[in-house]
Amino acid sequence: MNSRSNDLTIAEAALRQIAPGSDAALAAAIERFTARAASDGAVDVVYEDHDSPFGKLRLAATPAGILRIGLPNEDPESLLDQIAHKLSPRVLRAPGGYPSLAKARRELDQYFAGKRRHFDLPLDWSMARAFRLEVLHVTALIPYGETVSYADLARAAGRPKAVRAAGTAMATNPLPIVVPCHRVLRSGGQLGNYGGGVEMKAELLRLEGSRPG
Amino acid sequence: MTTRATHSELPPFESLVQRHGHGLLRFCLARLGADRGEDAFQETLLAALRAYPDLRDPAAAGGWLFAIADRKVIDAARESAKVGPATDGDAIEDAAWHDSAADGTLWAAVAVLPRKQRAAVALRYVADLSHGEIATAMGTSEAAARRNVHEGLKQLRGSVER
């Protein structure tokens, strides 16, 4: 009985060796698949990760443009779940899947190097709705190196009393850095919160020269 | 773009590729050889990606993916056999298991197992599915899947020691 079950274990081990499919072959096959999925429109959202001075940024895009920028301290998996639930589960990792991703990488690098003051990227606003979307549109207009308060923002979006809602719109900004929620501060000039952490917010403002130190 | 609320439970398709990509490639390569195997891998993933938002049960995704793979492998076998639609379905299915390049190997021994056993064995040890996933892929109960794997494995003992 013992040698019989041993035989089965040997058979199992041998079966697991059939057509091993190396890591390199798998990577190449997946790359060909994702390229086809992107070019024939079978995929709705593609993403890739990009190294920045603050850590890894996760960039997601649709054919319409950049959909979501994940900051280094966001959970990259829950970011994908969020997209799958809100927009479409047809989500694939596909570096360079759309031209807008390469453009975003380039412009972000230039921005972090202090060589770019505004972004010129196609954006897909599908991850935001209603008043929050209005607030984000207004936020996108805040110039490089300047700051406004949450109250200013609510007023500019047409609902002066909705200061808290303006804050929520910043907290749920799907496109941080490109839609510069880091330029929005508390009324007293305190930093307030930031999805990427208060340190990153201070650092971005220093980069733009709008904060001493 | 598909944005129906009923799909909200599905994880991103990428997680399916991460979990099953390796098993799927092995499954296709074992059955069709290198070139046609990779084509079947591509066709399976493309078909699955297109149909994915309509999948009802996220937990059934693995079995569902390999049910698609099995159809794509049979399609490829039918194409390369250049047979008419009148050809016996069983003969085509058998052709989708026999790769002359595998003669004399363990895979050749798998190919001549009874149909349910060879499918279960391939899904367990090449595709790396759980018994529950095999049940979904083959449309059987989990107990039947477990039995088919075990019976097939017993038959293969002799072939390994040669």
Side-chain angles (χ1 to χ4, degrees), chain A residues 7 10 12 14-16 18-21 26 29 32-33 36 40 42 47 81 85 87-91 93, chain B residues 2-3 8 12-14 21-22 26 38 41-43 45-46 49-50 52-53 106 125 150 153 157 160-161:
Chain A
D7 285 352
I10 292 170
E12 286 185 308
L15 285 163
R16 292 190 198 282
I18 290 175
L26 177 62
R32 275 191 286 275
F33 156 64
R36 278 180 73 182
D40 79 357
Y47 70 92
D81 286 340
H85 297 169
L87 199 63
S88 165
R90 287 184 181 127
V91 179
R93 175 189 288 275
Chain B
T2 312
T3 51
S8 63
F13 191 81
E14 177 67 25
H22 186 232
R26 290 187 62 210
E38 215 223 271
F41 172 87
Q42 307 272 342
E43 294 303 323
L45 285 180
L46 277 172
L49 178 60
R50 289 202 184 90
Y52 188 54
L106 178 58
Y125 298 108
H150 190 70
L153 197 57
R157 269 182 312 201
V160 177
E161 281 165 334

Side-chain angles (χ1 to χ4, degrees), chain A residues 90-102:
Chain A
R90 287 184 181 127
V91 179
L92 282 178
R93 175 189 288 275
Y98 300 136
S100 63
L101 285 172

Side-chain angles (χ1 to χ4, degrees), chain A residues 29-114:
Chain A
I30 288 176
E31 197 175 312
R32 275 191 286 275
F33 156 64
T34 52
R36 278 180 73 182
S39 68
D40 79 357
V43 65
D44 293 328
V45 179
V46 304
Y47 70 92
E48 61 183 277
D49 292 323
H50 181 63
D51 286 323
S52 82
F54 297 96
K56 264 192 184 19
L57 300 177
R58 178 153 281 189
L59 311 177
T62 70
I66 304 301
L67 175 76
R68 184 77 171 82
I69 295 173
L71 297 174
N73 68 352
E74 286 188 72
D75 175 2
E77 296 311 313
S78 72
L79 178 149
L80 297 183
D81 286 340
Q82 209 180 64
I83 292 172
H85 297 169
K86 260 192 155 165
L87 199 63
S88 165
R90 287 184 181 127
V91 179
L92 282 178
R93 175 189 288 275
Y98 300 136
S100 63
L101 285 172
K103 194 159 193 268
R105 281 170 172 262
R106 209 161 45 238
E107 294 196 4
L108 284 164
D109 284 346
Q110 292 165 344
Y111 169 78
F112 290 127

